[in-house]
Amino acid sequence: MYVVRPQFFIPIITLLRNAAMNSLKYKAELALMRTQNIDVTNFESQLNDFRDSFGRNFRLASERFKTAIESIDKSIEQLQKTKENLLHSEDNLRIANNKANDLTIKKLTRGNPTMTTKFDELIDEGA
């Protein structure tokens, strides 16, 4: 408790009021600093969340890209095998065609006297 002389009552009240105003000013600055600190913390947490989600999305996209590349490689290998099989089939058909073109009655009847005589009879009848 303080004893104040009447002539100093108004200046003491003014001093107390000024101290309270300064205190309010400091409290307002402190509240502003707290909100700025919270803003920085929120910004950091949002930035970390973005990094995490971007990293996850990048990883997933990378895995799908690798899967697509592997699928394309498998398709290319399968098409290459199909191409080789078709080329081998073409070679076999060409060989078969050559054999069919070279086939004659003389070649069929060689070493078979019965068939030779039958074909000779047919040729003689036709002439």
Side-chain angles (χ1 to χ4, degrees):
M1 180 173 266
Y2 294 99
V3 176
V4 177
R5 295 183 172 237
Q7 67 264 21
F8 296 117
F9 185 70
I10 299 278
I12 288 290
I13 297 283
T14 304
L15 279 173
L16 290 174
R17 185 185 72 78
N18 288 342
M21 294 298 273
N22 285 340
S23 174
L24 284 176
K25 186 173 77 170
Y26 291 132
K27 284 182 182 180
E29 285 180 18
L30 181 62
L32 179 67
M33 292 295 285
R34 283 183 183 164
T35 59
Q36 287 176 349
N37 191 19
I38 289 173
D39 288 344
V40 169
T41 303
N42 288 340
F43 178 77
E44 287 176 353
S45 66
Q46 289 174 350
L47 182 62
N48 289 334
D49 291 343
F50 174 77
R51 283 183 190 162
D52 294 340
S53 64
F54 185 82
R56 186 179 66 76
N57 289 344
F58 179 79
R59 182 180 46 81
L60 290 173
S62 177
E63 288 172 0
R64 289 185 184 208
F65 184 76
K66 287 178 185 177
T67 303
I69 293 294
E70 290 171 359
S71 176
I72 289 171
D73 287 341
K74 288 178 184 176
S75 297
I76 288 172
E77 289 175 14
Q78 185 63 32
L79 289 172
Q80 190 66 29
K81 287 178 184 178
T82 304
K83 178 183 173 184
E84 290 172 6
N85 289 335
L86 288 173
L87 289 174
H88 289 303
S89 295
E90 181 185 12
D91 289 342
N92 289 333
L93 288 172
R94 183 182 44 78
I95 291 169
N97 188 34
N98 289 342
K99 286 181 180 180
N101 287 336
D102 289 342
L103 185 64
T104 62
I105 293 175
K106 286 184 180 181
K107 286 184 180 179
L108 283 175
T109 59
R110 186 175 19 156
N112 190 344
T114 306
M115 292 305 289
T116 303
T117 57
K118 293 285 186 190
F119 278 113
D120 286 342
E121 289 174 7
L122 285 173
I123 291 173
D124 288 340
E125 288 176 12

